[in-house]
Amino acid sequence: MDILSFIGMLLALLAILGGSIAKGSGLAALWNLAAFLIVGVGTVAASLVQTRPGAMLRAMRIFPWVFRQPRLDPEATIERIVGWSQVARKEGLLGLESMAEEETDAFARKGLQLLVDGTEPEGIRTILEVDMSTQEEYDTEGAKVFEGMGIYAPTMGIIGAVMGLMAVMQNLADPSQLGSGIAAAFVATIYGISSANLFFLPVSNKLKTTIKHQAAYREMIIEGIISIAEGENPRNIETKLQGYLQR
């Protein structure tokens, strides 16, 4: 569980709500249905027009990574890879067949199966790198959905503010309505800027960081599999892969 994300979200709410109270506006001043509809629905609408259905679905599926990132254990994986290399040296590549069937990581299992099938090292690298890059691009496309929302939300906020000011201008004959009308107009701006900078953009960046870590993890697996295919010494393989732990 990513405690920093929880703390960040709570502090973001505290900054907006606490700031409104401290300034004397109160919490009621932050609620405006029209502003919410313009910013919220408008931002989602713009994102739907921009995004293909598969990317939108992927964005919804990877959103939980902000709070609970996929469990990766590079140290344990290095130990498994070294174990595979030891088996390959003693029993040959066919000795890895049972291990491939038992491997729970689909990416590593595919690499092991390629080893067992006798695929050349360069062929293994090409196949696994295509899988890795395809998955990375697919996940990144999902993360960019939130980035797009972060770009559109402030613009929707400005549109809401302008529409609110237009309503105020239509009621200039009633000075008692001017103060509350102008305040309500700027609520849309608060919604747009705060949602973009305190939610959408941070979520997008957090997801992109997680995706990069996953790609580095898969890259480590590729290097391990290729090293086994090339018959490298298990100790040398372990030393090489230890470098990935510094990321």
Side-chain angles (χ1 to χ4, degrees), residues 42-52 56 145 148-150 152:
T43 298
V44 171
S47 297
L48 290 175
V49 173
Q50 170 184 281
T51 310
R52 67 184 185 88
M56 182 62 71
V145 171
M149 290 183 177
Y152 293 129

Side-chain angles (χ1 to χ4, degrees), residues 152-219:
Y152 293 129
T155 304
M156 293 298 110
I158 294 173
I159 292 174
V162 172
M163 292 176 68
L165 291 176
M166 289 171 60
V168 169
M169 297 297 289
Q170 292 174 350
N171 292 285
L172 286 177
D174 186 1
S176 64
Q177 300 294 322
L178 294 181
S180 60
I182 293 173
F186 285 107
V187 170
T189 305
I190 294 175
Y191 285 174
I193 295 176
S194 61
S195 64
N197 292 282
L198 296 176
F199 183 75
F200 293 128
L201 294 178
V203 164
S204 175
N205 289 332
K206 190 61 163 283
L207 291 176
K208 288 179 182 178
T209 299
T210 300
I211 292 166
K212 287 182 180 179
H213 287 166
Q214 290 180 320
Y217 176 76
R218 295 189 181 103
E219 184 182 336

